[in-house]
């Protein structure tokens, strides 16, 4: 199906956008109003958009029912500061509770049972339970529309980073496997980036992968190899030498697979790919 967004209700549009553009990280934003009253709310229209300067952007949307502004938006317009706290699995239920539409002035640190810690460079406190917190000053707020559903880009410049030391690896870097981050999917679904759900892809930045287009047609058109298999093969810098191909061909398992036919040979290459032996897999296919 193909859709024209102009013909969709706000609710339907939200459903397609927020279910397809996922998983989304969650900015747990702490702000204060002009009187210093604290507010804490989650926003999954959120990401990092610049390293130097360090810029995070999130978007409080105008309410679909009446186009009214959320407290977080009013607060950053009044006091251009925010602490963006990162959300991980041990705090996800409490975080969800704080998204309740409590009356203006209600402190969601209290409602969610979170511990506020004073910030160093900005007025809003940070969340002690968060594995990482970014103190930010707000550079700009860009309204993307005026009615219900309209986003407001809050462009936040990081001025301090607080990291829970238990989230670091031996080299002092943040360890994805310790962070246990969560992300927002469509509807009520969340995603847990637990160690078991992670997988690695060798970065193609340091090498100049030859590209899928350079693979011989019988590999590209294989009925066994998947798009992921071809992507991995295309990341190899050049076709293996005749010498390597010869050596691989003499292996008994390769000879057996060849005798049984192309599909078996490609399945064997696929097994090699799963084990990370990309060049040998390519040699088998050749
Ligand atoms: C995980 C999660 C992500 C959310 N993301 C957004 C978002 O990106 N933009 C938005 O306007 N509301 C989002 N919401 C809803 C707000 O958190 C909710 O409207 C909240 O009450 C706003 O609080 P405030 O009026 O105190 O700012 C999200 C809620 C949850 C639970």
């Amino acid at each position: 199906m193909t859709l024209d967004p102009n013909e969709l209700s706000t609710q339907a549009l939200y459903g397609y956008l927020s279910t397809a553009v996922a998983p989304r990280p969650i900015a747990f934003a702490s702000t204060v109003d002009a009187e210093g009253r604290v507010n804490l709310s989650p926003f999954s229209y959120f990401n990092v958009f610049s390293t130097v300067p360090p810029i995070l952007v999130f978007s409080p949307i105008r309410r679909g029912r009446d186009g009214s502004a959320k407290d977080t938006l009013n607060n950053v317009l009044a006091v251009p500061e925010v602490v963006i706290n990162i959300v991980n699995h041990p705090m996800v239920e409490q975080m969800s509770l704080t998204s309740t539409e409590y009356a203006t002035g209600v402190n969601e640190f209290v409602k969610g049972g979170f511990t506020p810690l004073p910030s160093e460079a900005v007025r809003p406190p940070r969340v002690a339970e968060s594995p990482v917190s970014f103190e930010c000053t707000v550079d700009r707020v860009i309204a993307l529309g005026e009615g219900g559903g309209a986003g407001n880009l809050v462009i936040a410049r990081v001025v301090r980073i607080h990291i829970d030391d238990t989230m670091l690896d031996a080299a002092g870097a943040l360890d994805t496997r310790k962070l246990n981050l969560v992300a927002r999917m469509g509807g009520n679904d969340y995603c847990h980036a637990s160690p078991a759900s992670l997988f690695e892809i060798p970065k193609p930045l340091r090498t100049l992968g030859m590209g899928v287009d350079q693979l011989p047609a019988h590999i590209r058109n294989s009925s066994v190899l998947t798009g992921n298999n071809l992507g991995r093969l295309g990341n190899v810098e050049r076709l293996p030498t005749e010498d390597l191909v010869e050596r691989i061909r003499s292996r008994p398992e390769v000879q057996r697979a060849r005798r049984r036919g192309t599909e078996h040979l490609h399945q064997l290459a696929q097994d090699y790919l799963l084990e990370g032996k990309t060049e040998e897999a390519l040699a088998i296919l050749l």
Side-chain angles (χ1 to χ4, degrees):
M1 109 178 141
T2 302
L3 303 163
D4 178 347
N6 294 315
E7 288 168 6
L8 296 174
S9 67
T10 306
Q11 205 185 358
L13 197 48
Y14 172 75
Y16 291 121
L17 291 170
S18 64
T19 307
V21 185
R24 294 183 307 283
I26 301 167
F28 202 16
S30 162
T31 54
V32 293
D33 67 12
E35 295 160 43
R37 292 181 301 179
V38 172
N39 192 88
L40 180 65
S41 297
F43 297 92
S44 67
Y45 284 17
F46 161 58
N47 224 302
V48 50
F49 281 93
S50 170
T51 307
V52 184
I55 300 288
L56 306 178
V57 178
F58 70 98
S59 178
I61 306 273
R62 285 190 176 274
R63 291 190 184 91
R65 59 173 183 274
D66 56 7
S68 59
K70 296 188 178 178
D71 292 336
T72 303
L73 175 60
N74 289 332
N75 286 0
V76 293
L77 290 171
V79 179
E81 298 175 347
V82 58
V83 181
I84 296 182
N85 303 276
I86 296 300
V87 178
N88 67 357
H89 196 260
M91 59 191 287
V92 68
E93 296 268 354
Q94 285 172 278
M95 174 282 298
S96 173
L97 178 58
T98 66
S99 73
T100 308
E101 301 264 336
Y102 291 114
T104 300
V106 169
N107 182 341
E108 288 94 354
F109 274 91
V110 178
K111 286 289 168 198
F114 286 110
T115 315
L117 287 178
S119 292
E120 282 186 15
V122 297
R123 278 161 279 186
R126 64 187 168 100
V127 175
E129 289 78 3
S130 280
V132 183
S133 298
F134 298 99
E135 291 186 28
C136 305
T137 52
V138 173
D139 276 4
R140 261 195 301 165
V141 179
I142 302 175
L144 301 175
E146 278 139 33
N152 297 274
L153 298 187
V154 178
I155 301 182
R157 181 181 294 252
V158 177
V159 293
R160 290 284 190 289
I161 304 174
H162 303 276
I163 300 173
D164 173 350
D165 291 343
T166 65
M167 300 294 157
L168 300 174
D169 64 16
L174 264 175
D175 188 338
T176 300
R177 282 160 183 78
K178 292 182 178 168
L179 277 169
N180 267 307
L181 297 177
V182 289
R184 184 87 190 269
M185 311 296 289
N188 287 340
D189 286 331
Y190 283 82
C191 170
H192 180 187
S194 63
S197 70
L198 299 171
F199 62 95
E200 286 191 64
I201 301 180
K203 271 205 193 69
L205 289 178
R206 290 200 184 88
T207 55
L208 194 64
M210 63 180 160
V212 170
D213 60 314
Q214 296 303 308
L215 297 170
H218 75 274
I219 298 179
R220 273 187 282 124
N221 301 327
S222 164
S223 59
V224 174
L225 300 172
T226 64
N228 282 336
N229 294 152
L230 296 181
R232 186 61 76 93
L233 291 167
N235 193 30
V236 171
E237 284 190 272
R238 59 189 70 84
L239 292 172
T241 58
E242 203 37 55
D243 188 44
L244 176 62
V245 175
E246 277 307 319
R247 271 189 285 128
I248 294 283
R249 196 175 286 159
S250 65
R251 288 186 186 169
E253 58 174 345
V254 176
Q255 288 181 353
R256 249 195 325 273
R258 280 187 81 194
R259 276 197 299 276
R260 295 171 72 193
T262 306
E263 281 200 3
H264 289 275
L265 197 64
H266 284 205
Q267 273 155 9
L268 181 65
Q270 208 167 36
D271 293 343
Y272 270 64
L273 282 173
L274 271 177
E275 290 169 28
K277 300 175 186 164
T278 312
E279 285 195 48
E280 291 178 45
L282 195 48
I284 290 172
L285 293 164
L286 291 167

